Amino acid sequence: MENKVPIVSVVSSFSGLTMPAIGMGTASYPPVDAGTLKSAIVEAISAGYRHFDTAFIYGSEQPIGAAIAEALNIGLIKSRNELFITSKLWCTYAEPDLVIPAIKMSLENLQLEYLDLYLIHWPLKFSKEVSRFPVPKEEVSVIDIKTVWSAMEECQLLGLTKAIGVSNFSSRKLEEILSLAKIPPAVNQVEMNPLWQQKELNEYCKAKGIHVSAHSPLGSKGTLWGDNRIFDCHALKEIAEAKGKTIAQICLRWVYEQGASVIAKSFNKKRMEENLEIFDWSLSVEELEKIRVLPQCKINSIGTFIEPSAELEAQL
């Protein structure tokens, strides 16, 4: 089938990166079984998705690898090059000598020779394997960004990934990377939705040539940390009803109109297809204003993952 998802050009003289404007997320809590996830990825490729977002901690790398192999085998795609695959460095491996082994482990899980994008998942380091959430604060520290980023740069120089970036980084932490990077981050993947609009961070990233990719565009409903605020929002319901769209489509279109790409997760075939149907219409000036003034509340808080620590949060 014809792929109607626009391609976003990511400003990066080092990577020349382009990526689909919408990707499929694969984080699921509680996790789905590998067979279900593999089938959903194959279905998504058939529907037109070409960007798949994973991470070591999601446990979805192996099912994605199996799905890619099946999609090639049955002719849904002709080449792995048609896909854009993102994975992430987990906090346990956020040490300079563990970065390359970590990306190689992800590549083995995915049955791939290279990633399109490799991100530092959080600006945090865990002292040992995580056995529970929230992680005890004595096991958490801020990463040594200079040495870890240097190892990320080496991943790109070795051809293990086409581009590198970060996830859940503030402008303060980005400034730190930019002050020492030989290869600047191409992407910052952060929570972004109508109820957490990230205006200042988005503008900062645009000014620095860092592309913003939005996770949790629907508020992470159905996860340990998410809630129904997005779907219960009266203003979003009104806009959706007036346009004959779903609330999810309104949120995804809003993110796209902010100049960001978007990571949307659904394993339901109908919703997967609906999530792609956001590119042939737009929000009006009045609708954008209704969204602009919505009360803001961060959903995917770092406090979900680690025990409260004022000292640590002050460094992020």
Side-chain angles (χ1 to χ4, degrees):
M1 65 174 292
E2 181 185 356
N3 187 1
K4 298 180 180 180
V5 177
I7 299 297
V8 176
S9 293
V10 177
V11 180
S12 173
S13 58
F14 290 88
S15 67
L17 188 68
T18 60
M19 61 194 294
I22 188 167
M24 181 174 174
T26 60
S28 183
Y29 300 97
V32 298
D33 67 90
T36 299
L37 181 52
K38 175 191 169 184
S39 296
I41 299 299
V42 172
E43 191 69 60
I45 293 173
S46 178
Y49 287 86
R50 292 297 181 265
H51 178 192
F52 294 92
D53 180 83
T54 184
F56 175 81
I57 194 64
Y58 298 166
S60 60
E61 290 176 333
Q62 289 184 343
I64 289 175
I68 293 170
E70 181 170 324
L72 286 165
N73 186 50
I74 64 179
L76 286 177
I77 52 174
K78 294 178 181 178
S79 166
R80 176 265 182 266
N81 296 340
E82 294 178 37
L83 301 177
F84 189 102
I85 307 298
T86 298
S87 195
K88 307 179 190 76
L89 176 75
W90 184 235
C91 305
T92 309
Y93 304 103
E95 294 186 31
D97 59 335
L98 297 181
V99 174
I100 290 176
I103 191 173
K104 287 183 174 179
M105 184 163 46
S106 288
L107 289 170
E108 183 178 349
N109 287 339
L110 288 158
Q111 303 175 52
L112 298 178
E113 294 182 355
Y114 69 90
L115 294 173
D116 295 277
L117 180 62
Y118 195 47
L119 307 177
I120 299 176
H121 205 148
W122 286 89
L124 299 171
K125 181 191 175 309
F126 296 160
S127 60
K128 59 183 180 179
E129 289 289 344
V130 174
S131 57
R132 67 179 177 89
F133 288 107
V135 181
K137 59 185 177 183
E138 59 270 16
E139 294 180 14
V140 184
S141 58
V142 176
I143 65 172
D144 179 349
I145 198 64
K146 181 177 181 179
T147 57
V148 172
W149 188 253
S150 179
M152 293 287 287
E153 292 174 328
E154 188 67 15
C155 289
Q156 182 169 331
L157 294 171
L158 289 171
L160 300 172
T161 182
K162 288 188 173 182
I164 51 177
V166 296
S167 181
N168 305 303
F169 270 54
S170 65
S171 55
R172 175 179 173 179
K173 297 306 291 183
L174 287 171
E175 197 70 42
E176 190 177 341
I177 291 182
L178 291 172
S179 71
L180 51 85
K182 295 176 182 175
I183 303 175
V187 171
N188 186 20
Q189 187 185 115
V190 295
E191 177 190 341
M192 185 178 179
N193 55 61
L195 298 187
W196 189 244
Q197 296 180 14
Q198 298 273 35
K199 294 173 188 175
E200 291 184 7
L201 181 59
N202 194 24
E203 288 304 315
Y204 174 87
C205 288
K206 284 180 181 178
K208 299 295 183 179
I210 300 170
H211 177 72
V212 171
S213 189
H215 70 66
S216 309
L218 308 179
S220 301
K221 179 184 177 183
T223 65
L224 292 172
W225 58 85
D227 56 34
N228 292 338
R229 262 176 283 175
I230 292 280
F231 292 94
D232 290 341
C233 176
H234 182 67
L236 294 175
K237 284 181 181 178
E238 279 189 338
I239 295 170
E241 288 171 5
K243 296 192 87 70
K245 305 294 181 183
T246 67
I247 291 176
Q249 287 173 324
I250 298 300
C251 292
L252 298 178
R253 178 69 199 189
W254 177 84
V255 169
Y256 178 64
E257 291 192 19
Q258 308 314 301
S261 57
V262 60
I263 306 299
K265 193 218 83 179
S266 178
F267 300 152
N268 175 281
K269 181 180 178 181
K270 181 174 183 289
R271 289 195 290 273
M272 271 195 264
E273 292 173 348
E274 287 176 347
N275 289 347
L276 291 179
E277 295 169 358
I278 64 167
F279 299 111
D280 59 353
W281 54 276
S282 60
L283 295 163
S284 70
V285 173
E286 292 77 17
E287 289 161 345
L288 288 169
E289 180 61 17
K290 274 188 179 181
I291 294 173
R292 187 188 69 81
V293 298
L294 288 173
Q296 297 296 290
C297 183
K298 186 173 177 62
I299 296 169
N300 194 0
S301 169
I302 196 170
T304 306
F305 302 100
I306 64 172
E307 290 179 347
S309 170
E311 181 181 354
L312 186 62
E313 295 236 15
Q315 298 178 63
L316 300 176

XYZ file of all heavy atoms in Angstrom, residues 158-212:
430
model
N 30.996 4.474 14.476
C 31.208 3.064 14.137
C 30.127 2.517 13.198
O 30.212 1.374 12.750
C 31.238 2.211 15.414
C 32.470 2.370 16.314
C 32.254 1.649 17.638
C 33.728 1.857 15.614
N 29.088 3.326 12.928
C 28.020 2.883 12.046
C 26.985 1.993 12.726
O 26.166 1.359 12.055
N 27.014 1.959 14.059
C 26.027 1.166 14.790
C 24.665 1.854 14.810
O 23.643 1.221 15.030
C 26.508 0.906 16.220
C 27.838 0.138 16.324
C 28.317 0.098 17.764
C 27.688 -1.273 15.762
N 24.665 3.157 14.608
C 23.433 3.941 14.504
C 23.676 5.106 13.550
O 24.793 5.616 13.462
C 22.972 4.460 15.881
O 21.745 5.188 15.729
C 24.013 5.366 16.527
N 22.633 5.494 12.841
C 22.770 6.620 11.914
C 22.766 7.955 12.633
O 23.327 8.935 12.138
C 21.635 6.585 10.891
C 21.767 5.471 9.862
C 20.713 5.624 8.779
C 20.932 4.616 7.657
N 19.932 4.792 6.583
N 22.111 8.012 13.788
C 22.020 9.273 14.532
C 21.891 8.968 16.014
O 21.489 7.869 16.421
C 20.834 10.106 14.045
N 22.224 9.968 16.822
C 22.131 9.831 18.274
C 21.339 11.000 18.838
O 21.246 12.071 18.237
C 23.526 9.768 18.935
C 24.411 10.936 18.470
C 24.185 8.428 18.659
C 25.781 10.986 19.148
N 20.768 10.776 20.009
C 19.993 11.823 20.652
C 19.711 11.462 22.098
O 20.388 10.605 22.684
N 18.722 12.118 22.657
C 18.401 11.952 24.070
C 16.888 11.854 24.250
O 16.115 12.133 23.329
C 18.951 13.117 24.920
C 20.472 13.131 24.874
C 18.388 14.455 24.435
N 16.492 11.461 25.440
C 15.078 11.370 25.778
C 14.883 11.895 27.195
O 15.706 11.633 28.075
C 14.614 9.904 25.681
O 13.245 9.775 25.987
N 13.830 12.659 27.397
C 13.494 13.192 28.722
C 14.577 14.138 29.262
O 14.838 14.168 30.466
C 13.252 12.046 29.716
C 12.198 11.082 29.232
O 11.061 11.488 28.956
N 12.541 9.809 29.105
N 15.187 14.916 28.363
C 16.217 15.875 28.764
C 15.638 17.285 28.807
O 14.908 17.694 27.900
C 17.390 15.851 27.781
C 18.476 14.862 28.133
C 18.176 13.526 28.357
C 19.796 15.272 28.237
C 19.170 12.610 28.670
C 20.807 14.367 28.553
C 20.495 13.024 28.773
N 15.981 18.023 29.838
C 15.600 19.429 29.960
C 16.536 20.280 29.111
O 17.594 19.825 28.658
C 15.712 19.870 31.418
O 17.079 19.826 31.836
N 16.172 21.549 28.910
C 17.052 22.459 28.175
C 18.379 22.624 28.915
O 19.430 22.785 28.297
C 16.373 23.819 27.971
O 15.954 24.366 29.210
N 18.324 22.547 30.224
C 19.554 22.661 31.022
C 20.516 21.519 30.708
O 21.721 21.748 30.514
C 19.188 22.655 32.508
C 20.381 22.635 33.448
C 19.908 22.665 34.895
N 20.997 22.496 35.831
C 20.848 22.508 37.141
N 19.647 22.685 37.666
N 21.879 22.350 37.942
N 20.006 20.297 30.642
C 20.869 19.152 30.343
C 21.318 19.168 28.881
O 22.434 18.762 28.548
C 20.160 17.832 30.658
C 19.801 17.635 32.115
C 20.989 17.791 33.046
C 22.016 16.701 32.945
N 23.124 16.863 33.922
N 20.453 19.662 27.995
C 20.844 19.787 26.585
C 21.978 20.792 26.426
O 22.910 20.582 25.644
C 19.643 20.220 25.741
C 18.564 19.155 25.504
C 17.340 19.788 24.857
C 19.095 18.028 24.632
N 21.897 21.881 27.165
C 22.952 22.902 27.116
C 24.288 22.297 27.525
O 25.341 22.603 26.937
C 22.588 24.063 28.036
C 23.372 25.336 27.790
C 23.010 26.009 26.473
O 21.817 26.081 26.128
O 23.957 26.450 25.778
N 24.233 21.415 28.497
C 25.453 20.753 28.965
C 26.058 19.887 27.847
O 27.269 19.912 27.619
C 25.124 19.893 30.196
C 26.342 19.347 30.910
C 25.968 18.564 32.156
O 24.844 18.735 32.669
O 26.818 17.773 32.614
N 25.221 19.136 27.155
C 25.712 18.307 26.045
C 26.280 19.182 24.933
O 27.373 18.936 24.414
C 24.585 17.416 25.468
C 24.195 16.339 26.461
C 25.031 16.762 24.159
C 23.134 15.389 25.949
N 25.540 20.224 24.557
C 25.959 21.070 23.447
C 27.289 21.769 23.717
O 28.031 22.088 22.790
C 24.873 22.099 23.137
C 23.578 21.527 22.545
C 22.509 22.606 22.468
C 23.828 20.917 21.172
N 27.606 21.976 24.975
C 28.850 22.664 25.323
C 30.078 21.793 25.091
O 31.199 22.305 25.038
C 28.814 23.117 26.786
O 28.911 22.001 27.663
N 29.879 20.488 24.964
C 31.026 19.587 24.847
C 30.934 18.614 23.673
O 31.903 17.918 23.362
C 31.202 18.792 26.151
C 29.970 18.054 26.713
C 29.804 16.692 26.073
C 30.065 17.921 28.234
N 29.774 18.574 22.989
C 29.562 17.559 21.957
C 30.343 17.845 20.681
O 30.421 18.983 20.219
C 28.070 17.460 21.633
N 30.918 16.792 20.105
C 31.452 16.858 18.743
C 30.316 16.606 17.751
O 30.291 17.169 16.664
C 32.566 15.829 18.567
C 33.793 16.096 19.424
C 34.825 14.983 19.287
C 36.024 15.234 20.197
N 36.978 14.085 20.163
N 29.409 15.719 18.135
C 28.193 15.457 17.366
C 27.014 15.846 18.257
O 26.765 15.192 19.274
C 28.075 13.976 16.961
C 29.295 13.522 16.168
C 26.795 13.748 16.159
C 29.304 12.034 15.835
N 26.279 16.898 17.940
C 25.162 17.306 18.798
C 23.995 16.322 18.688
O 23.864 15.614 17.682
C 24.772 18.677 18.235
C 25.233 18.654 16.819
C 26.462 17.800 16.784
N 23.143 16.259 19.705
C 21.977 15.380 19.630
C 21.042 15.803 18.505
O 20.740 16.984 18.349
C 21.322 15.540 21.007
C 21.860 16.813 21.568
C 23.219 16.993 20.979
N 20.607 14.817 17.724
C 19.695 15.100 16.619
C 18.257 15.231 17.103
O 17.457 15.965 16.515
C 19.780 13.993 15.568
N 17.929 14.522 18.198
C 16.531 14.418 18.658
C 16.483 14.468 20.178
O 17.378 13.961 20.856
C 15.896 13.084 18.162
C 14.532 12.838 18.805
C 15.781 13.073 16.639
N 15.434 15.089 20.703
C 15.082 14.989 22.121
C 13.657 14.461 22.182
O 12.720 15.144 21.767
C 15.183 16.344 22.817
C 14.969 16.262 24.324
O 15.093 15.204 24.924
N 14.650 17.389 24.940
N 13.503 13.228 22.647
C 12.167 12.643 22.760
C 11.627 12.909 24.163
O 12.223 12.487 25.152
C 12.207 11.133 22.483
C 10.822 10.513 22.423
C 10.851 9.002 22.272
O 10.427 8.268 23.160
N 11.346 8.517 21.136
N 10.524 13.642 24.244
C 9.974 14.044 25.539
C 8.454 13.893 25.540
O 7.824 13.827 24.488
C 10.327 15.512 25.870
C 11.831 15.688 26.046
C 9.798 16.456 24.790
N 7.894 13.861 26.733
C 6.438 13.888 26.842
C 5.925 15.212 26.294
O 6.407 16.288 26.650
C 6.010 13.751 28.305
C 4.491 13.841 28.470
C 4.046 13.939 29.921
O 4.839 13.591 30.823
O 2.907 14.370 30.150
N 4.919 15.129 25.420
C 4.334 16.342 24.846
C 2.917 16.037 24.410
O 2.670 15.089 23.658
C 5.168 16.819 23.658
C 4.725 18.133 23.041
S 5.859 18.576 21.688
C 5.111 20.108 21.138
N 1.977 16.806 24.905
C 0.573 16.633 24.563
C -0.173 17.916 24.941
O 0.425 18.822 25.528
C -0.013 15.400 25.283
C 0.176 15.451 26.792
O -0.314 16.362 27.453
N 0.899 14.482 27.344
N -1.440 18.048 24.603
C -2.155 19.296 24.900
C -2.181 19.686 26.376
O -2.367 20.864 26.687
C -3.566 19.013 24.380
C -3.350 18.081 23.239
C -2.248 17.166 23.726
N -1.995 18.713 27.274
C -1.991 19.035 28.698
C -0.581 19.138 29.279
O -0.415 19.366 30.470
C -2.813 17.999 29.474
C -4.299 17.916 29.098
C -5.044 16.982 30.038
C -4.953 19.305 29.095
N 0.428 18.952 28.444
C 1.820 19.215 28.834
C 2.553 19.641 27.569
O 3.203 18.866 26.894
C 2.471 17.981 29.475
C 3.816 18.271 30.074
C 5.019 17.771 29.701
C 4.090 19.157 31.178
N 6.030 18.289 30.476
C 5.488 19.141 31.400
C 3.285 19.968 31.996
C 6.092 19.901 32.403
C 3.900 20.726 32.991
C 5.290 20.682 33.188
N 2.461 20.936 27.246
C 2.763 21.417 25.908
C 4.245 21.681 25.643
O 4.652 21.804 24.490
C 1.926 22.669 25.615
C 0.432 22.358 25.598
C -0.446 23.566 25.308
O 0.020 24.612 24.864
N -1.740 23.421 25.575
N 5.046 21.789 26.687
C 6.497 21.912 26.532
C 6.889 23.083 25.614
O 7.829 22.974 24.811
C 7.065 20.609 25.952
C 6.866 19.391 26.822
C 7.969 19.213 27.849
O 8.494 20.181 28.379
N 8.304 17.985 28.144
N 6.195 24.207 25.751
C 6.433 25.337 24.833
C 7.876 25.829 24.878
O 8.516 26.004 23.835
C 5.479 26.489 25.180
C 4.012 26.168 24.930
C 3.115 27.286 25.443
C 1.653 26.899 25.371
N 0.784 27.933 25.979
N 8.395 26.069 26.077
C 9.752 26.616 26.200
C 10.792 25.625 25.702
O 11.730 26.004 24.992
C 10.030 27.012 27.654
C 9.221 28.213 28.119
C 9.583 28.640 29.528
O 10.550 28.084 30.096
O 8.903 29.534 30.066
N 10.635 24.344 26.068
C 11.594 23.333 25.632
C 11.545 23.155 24.116
O 12.586 23.037 23.455
C 11.311 22.004 26.329
C 12.261 20.846 25.982
C 13.705 21.198 26.321
C 11.829 19.570 26.699
N 10.344 23.172 23.555
C 10.193 23.027 22.102
C 10.877 24.185 21.366
O 11.590 23.978 20.377
C 8.708 22.957 21.739
C 8.479 22.477 20.315
O 9.317 21.789 19.730
N 7.343 22.825 19.741
N 10.685 25.394 21.868
C 11.319 26.555 21.242
C 12.841 26.503 21.380
O 13.575 26.840 20.444
C 10.777 27.852 21.857
C 9.348 28.173 21.454
C 9.172 28.252 19.942
O 10.017 28.880 19.266
O 8.206 27.649 19.431
N 13.309 26.070 22.545
C 14.757 25.930 22.753
C 15.347 24.931 21.753
O 16.375 25.206 21.119
C 15.039 25.460 24.187
C 16.499 25.163 24.443
C 17.380 26.160 24.830
C 16.995 23.866 24.265
C 18.732 25.880 25.045
C 18.336 23.582 24.470
C 19.189 24.593 24.851
O 20.518 24.320 25.042
N 14.694 23.780 21.621
C 15.199 22.743 20.715
C 15.198 23.229 19.265
O 16.155 22.982 18.516
C 14.372 21.469 20.856
S 14.676 20.581 22.409
N 14.147 23.941 18.869
C 14.104 24.489 17.504
C 15.279 25.436 17.269
O 15.933 25.390 16.226
C 12.781 25.234 17.280
C 11.576 24.324 17.072
C 10.312 25.153 16.870
C 9.085 24.262 16.690
N 7.843 25.064 16.549
N 15.553 26.270 18.246
C 16.644 27.244 18.116
C 18.001 26.570 18.019
O 18.914 27.090 17.370
C 16.622 28.213 19.299
N 18.133 25.401 18.642
C 19.409 24.689 18.664
C 19.498 23.622 17.572
O 20.505 22.905 17.492
C 19.628 24.028 20.038
C 19.684 25.008 21.199
C 20.891 25.929 21.099
C 20.995 26.864 22.297
N 22.172 27.744 22.212
N 18.470 23.495 16.753
C 18.501 22.494 15.688
C 18.317 21.076 16.170
O 18.802 20.127 15.547
N 17.615 20.914 17.292
C 17.327 19.587 17.843
C 15.851 19.277 17.592
O 14.977 20.038 18.010
C 17.627 19.531 19.358
C 19.103 19.843 19.615
C 17.258 18.166 19.937
C 19.436 20.049 21.089
N 15.573 18.185 16.903
C 14.195 17.826 16.602
C 13.519 17.262 17.856
O 14.099 16.440 18.574
C 14.150 16.792 15.486
C 12.770 16.313 15.166
N 11.842 17.095 14.512
C 12.147 15.144 15.447
C 10.712 16.417 14.385
N 10.874 15.228 14.942
N 12.286 17.680 18.108
C 11.505 17.149 19.227
C 10.599 16.032 18.711
O 9.869 16.196 17.733
C 10.661 18.242 19.901
C 9.689 17.628 20.910
C 11.563 19.245 20.603
